[in-house]
Amino acid sequence: MNIAGIPHRTIEVVPGTHSVRIIDQTVLPHQLVWQTLRTLNDAAEAICTMRVRGAPLIGATAAYGLALGLLEDASDAALKAGYDTLFATRPTAVNLRWALDRVRAVVAPLPLNQRADRAWAEAAAICDEDARTNHAIGQHGFELLRQLHAAKADTSAPLHVMTHCNAGWLAAVDWGMSLSPVYLAHDAGIPVHVWVSETRPRGQGASLTAWELREHGVPHTLIADNASGHLMQRGMVDLCIVGADRVTAQGDVANKIGTYMKALAARAHQVPFFFAMPVSTIDWTILDGIRDIPIEQRSAREVTHIPGIAADGTRQEVLITREGTAARNDGFDVTPASFVTSLITEHGVFQADATDLARLKAML
Ligand code: MRU
């Protein structure tokens, strides 16, 4: 996708080196800062601190992290330690495990002197595939958006899409998941307007989704998370489309905290509720998402404080509650399969149930 008209990916090899650069998402939208990752620990730090975030990008960064580690030490012990360090960075998005397993599987049988190059090539392949995959998700989702727009009483009116968090290209290597269909619809001339939920506590909607939609020229409006049900009740939302961090084999979906509440409101108001994600986000080893998906517990400080930019241009963080107020910060929630209209993947659109997902698995 483009930044100021120049094509970029969220993770890029620094030409002529064995290092990669990432966009530091903790300082967007106020600054665009590229940071170079030279070691496995750099990659782990970038994931832990959410300089990179979003399920597919976490996986891609971890893959390069393992490759960077093998450049320093390609022994079995280092491979295991590197895997464990990266795996421990964040618990909910299953793409992390998927990417690490994939790199480990191709390097483990090799002699030590071939491992780093092979890991580097596999990380690059993961990134290239992610870009292609997300474009395919966009094409399948585009067809849904086209049909929903054609079904509107007034087709000159915009198709109002509600999102949550950021599952756009900043959450992936390119294109994104929930926003990929939106970009294709916009580019095809369908009038699309996006309701961008701010996504407290970290504000990925306000800081990231609004930023990337503006870079692409897609009309959008920022809303407080609490406004979602109200807008649906008044017929101002044609569909919701969000990303996913882990989908179970029966179609339960973990996504950013607040997704479940939106799905409840959407069901009450007959608003279609789609999840868009690559097949690598499906955890085939579990069925019951509420029981079996680990929910990341994050710092209470993200709830009690809000960061931003002051009038003088300095970055500041302000306390919004009484000093010492207890706060809890679950990073994700689980939407049961029964609240999911359908799952948009690179292989097509599937029902969120064990039977249709088994059909998808058989296609792989
Ligand atoms: O905590 P984050 O920002 O890494 O959260 C992940 C997400 O970006 C969202 O949950 C998203 O909708 C799914 S990941 C593409």
Side-chain angles (χ1 to χ4, degrees), residues 50 53-56 58 90 164-167 171 177 204 243-245 255-256 332:
M50 295 179 65
R53 27 67 52 204
I58 290 171
R90 293 194 70 192
H164 190 65
C165 194
N166 172 263
M177 289 64 62
Q204 291 96 325
D245 292 270
N255 192 49
K256 183 51 58 190
F332 299 88

Side-chain angles (χ1 to χ4, degrees), residues 54-175:
L57 182 56
I58 290 171
T61 307
Y64 270 118
L66 205 50
L68 289 166
L70 291 170
L71 277 168
E72 288 178 24
D73 182 349
S75 65
D76 285 346
L79 176 60
K80 180 179 182 321
Y83 182 106
D84 291 348
T85 297
L86 290 159
F87 183 70
T89 50
R90 293 194 70 192
T92 301
V94 77
N95 307 60
L96 176 66
R97 184 182 79 199
W98 171 86
L100 289 171
D101 284 348
R102 184 167 154 173
V103 175
R104 183 176 62 179
V106 295
V107 301
L110 296 178
L112 301 195
N113 64 355
Q114 294 177 19
R115 284 182 171 178
D117 284 349
R118 185 67 188 82
W120 195 260
E122 196 64 17
I126 286 172
C127 290
D128 290 344
E129 281 173 33
D130 187 68
R132 283 197 301 274
T133 292
N134 294 329
H135 187 251
I137 289 171
Q139 289 173 315
H140 293 296
F142 166 79
E143 189 51 32
L144 292 172
L145 266 57
R146 194 190 61 71
Q147 289 169 12
L148 286 165
H149 180 251
K152 276 179 81 96
D154 174 8
T155 52
S156 67
L159 184 72
H160 294 288
V161 180
M162 182 173 281
T163 65
H164 190 65
C165 194
N166 172 263
W169 74 271
L170 286 168
V173 175
D174 207 347
W175 283 102

